[in-house]
Amino acid sequence: MDVYSQGFLQLNKGLGKLAPSDHSSHNQSETSKIPSWSIQNEDVSLPTACLSLPNLEHNINWMSNFTKLFEVELCPHAKTTMCPKIIEMQSKSGTWGMTTATVQQTVLVHHFGIKRILMANQLIGLRNMEIISEILAEDPTFEFFCIVDSVENVEVLWKYFEKKKKILNVLVEFGVSNGRTGVRNFLQMKEVLKTIQKTNGTVILRGIEFYEGILSDETQVRALCHQVILVICEIYPLFLPKVKEIIISGAGSQWFDIVTEELLSKKKIIKPYFQVTTIVLRPGCYVVHDAGIYALAQRRIQNKSSGLVQSLGILKPALKVIGYVQSIPETNLVIIGMGKRDVAVDSGFPIPSSLVRIRKTESVDIGSRTWVNCPPDWSVTKIMDQHMFMKIMGTDEDDLKVGDIISFDISHPCNTFSAWRHLLLVDETYTVLDVLPTYF
């Protein structure tokens, strides 16, 4: 990226220094490109968040190959990264579109060049409807979908978009008891569909959407998929006569394999009703993966899947948060210079991954600094706004000093991304290749 595309770049955390000559040039010349900062050589202010380019590319190819293998469509959730570069990489791998959760995300992702967006949420509120209507008016090639789950929402959308002379594509959401949004039974589904019929083509029914990520058990996920198929068969007569294709969309990053398996196994049940059945998966976190909850899900997939899936290999953690050893106040306690403002802890503490032992003497060539694996018994035990507590063995084997650099894997990447306005794209040696902005 051009380092001056945003004037506040140097005011953000986790970045390196630009040469003085660079500051005098605000055009897109060679002088305005990112220098080859090295994290282990301390060219970057820590803490910082970085993304492994090799692992990003691997994960994008992995999911692309998975969907091609099972002949389903991929519509990655943009909310995970909200990063133009990553969304571009995903799109180029061959996606059906991109998923968003809000109108603001939809505006940004469309601005990034995506022409088909499934907003996996209800479109609520006057200004939000205006924004979508404005994009549809300005870009006739833009294809937008949102979900509905109530008669009231359909009626409001109908009145607004009819007045604007615009057509709105919707999927009806089927939810679970004590879950998030979505109709809960056949009767509610029928009432919503009858209301859609009354809109005379302003609100177009395109299919069914569901979200299984709130469930914690594989049996429950399979049961939900089965219910969705039964609902489709039950409400078929209420679909608009012109609908020849049905879109069935589900699958976050944890159960996408089970959803794929269940929907494909039951696809023949609804085949008589529609000429085309399009199954659209919406995982987001796969692109950077993690070493926590999604690593557990990946192990389950590898253990239970067919040889074809196993042949794809495994997803790899691509997101790291890196900080200094700030203090060693007790024998087995290390304080790391990072905290809740830098890394998510909603699904578990960060996991010590690798380190560089800094030896600040004139005789040491910083170019020879290398990363080594952290001992497996190191663990994070507590985290505050700007400080993280790490337990170590307290023996000579730890060999830690203040100023050493430690890289941490994370669990559930979403909230870590939203803590950074820029992330560093790095190679295998932690040399910076680019600076990637995010838009949260």
Side-chain angles (χ1 to χ4, degrees), residues 229-240:
I229 297 299
L230 292 179
V231 165
I232 292 172
C233 296
E234 176 75 14
I235 52 84
Y236 163 69
L238 294 170
F239 272 82
L240 298 179

Side-chain angles (χ1 to χ4, degrees), residues 250-263:
S253 295
Q254 192 160 8
W255 300 105
F256 62 85
D257 61 313
I258 301 299
V259 171
T260 299
E261 179 184 324
E262 283 295 313
L263 293 183

Side-chain angles (χ1 to χ4, degrees), residues 396-415:
D396 291 342
E397 294 179 9
D398 293 318
D399 192 20
L400 269 184
K401 295 184 182 298
V402 171
D404 286 348
I405 299 172
I406 301 183
S407 173
F408 292 83
D409 287 316
I410 50 85
S411 180
H412 192 212
C414 293
N415 287 342

Side-chain angles (χ1 to χ4, degrees), residues 36-68:
S36 294
W37 299 327
S38 168
I39 292 176
Q40 65 264 35
N41 291 348
E42 301 185 271
D43 297 329
V44 173
S45 172
L46 303 185
T48 193
C50 64
L51 294 162
S52 162
L53 178 59
N55 287 2
L56 270 179
E57 292 175 333
H58 169 83
N59 294 344
I60 289 170
N61 290 332
W62 192 100
M63 190 59 74
S64 177
N65 290 334
F66 177 90
T67 54
K68 290 173 183 175

Side-chain angles (χ1 to χ4, degrees), residues 290-356:
D290 72 6
I293 58 173
Y294 295 118
L296 290 173
Q298 181 75 180
R299 285 197 286 272
R300 174 188 55 77
I301 292 172
Q302 286 298 111
N303 291 336
K304 300 190 69 173
S305 296
S306 66
L308 287 175
V309 174
Q310 292 176 354
S311 68
L312 299 177
I314 61 173
L315 295 169
K316 300 178 180 180
L319 175 61
K320 307 275 188 180
V321 181
I322 302 173
Y324 281 117
V325 172
Q326 193 88 2
S327 176
I328 309 177
E330 301 171 17
T331 304
N332 63 348
L333 175 62
V334 177
I335 305 299
I336 308 297
M338 71 169 71
K340 294 178 182 177
R341 303 297 181 93
D342 311 303
V343 63
V345 294
D346 56 307
S347 297
F349 288 137
I351 302 117
S353 173
S354 57
L355 75 149
V356 175

Side-chain angles (χ1 to χ4, degrees), residues 2 61 111 136-137 159 379 413 432:
D2 173 12
N61 290 332
H111 181 72
L136 291 171
K159 292 176 183 178
S379 63
V432 177

Side-chain angles (χ1 to χ4, degrees), residues 67-138:
T67 54
K68 290 173 183 175
L69 180 64
F70 291 99
E71 298 183 342
V72 295
E73 298 291 348
L74 178 62
C75 191
H77 211 312
K79 72 178 176 67
T80 300
T81 70
M82 288 306 294
C83 175
K85 176 67 174 179
I86 296 176
I87 290 171
E88 178 188 18
M89 291 171 65
Q90 291 173 296
S91 180
K92 286 183 176 179
S93 72
T95 59
W96 182 84
M98 291 296 295
T99 300
T100 60
T102 68
V103 169
Q104 177 261 349
Q105 291 173 7
T106 301
V107 171
L108 285 166
V109 173
H110 174 258
H111 181 72
F112 299 158
I114 303 302
K115 295 297 186 178
R116 179 189 280 153
I117 295 175
L118 167 55
M119 191 179 84
N121 222 336
Q122 290 78 10
L123 178 57
I124 305 289
L126 178 59
R127 181 55 190 149
N128 287 332
M129 291 188 292
E130 285 178 343
I131 290 170
I132 296 303
S133 177
E134 289 164 3
I135 299 176
L136 291 171
E138 294 168 2

Side-chain angles (χ1 to χ4, degrees), residues 152-208:
E152 294 81 2
N153 188 204
V154 174
E155 289 177 341
V156 171
L157 294 171
W158 172 19
K159 292 176 183 178
Y160 181 85
F161 284 92
E162 184 178 56
K163 183 178 179 180
K164 295 293 183 178
K165 295 182 172 55
K166 296 296 178 187
I167 291 173
L168 185 66
N169 297 310
V170 301
L171 284 76
V172 180
E173 182 172 30
F174 191 80
V176 299
S177 179
N178 297 316
R180 299 195 317 195
T181 51
V183 300
R184 297 300 200 252
N185 53 55
F186 286 11
L187 180 60
Q188 291 177 359
M189 175 74 77
K190 288 180 179 180
E191 291 304 313
V192 172
L193 293 176
K194 287 178 181 178
T195 307
I196 292 174
Q197 279 190 312
K198 293 177 184 177
T199 70
N200 299 317
T202 295
V203 179
I204 301 292
L205 180 62
R206 297 295 300 272
I208 302 292

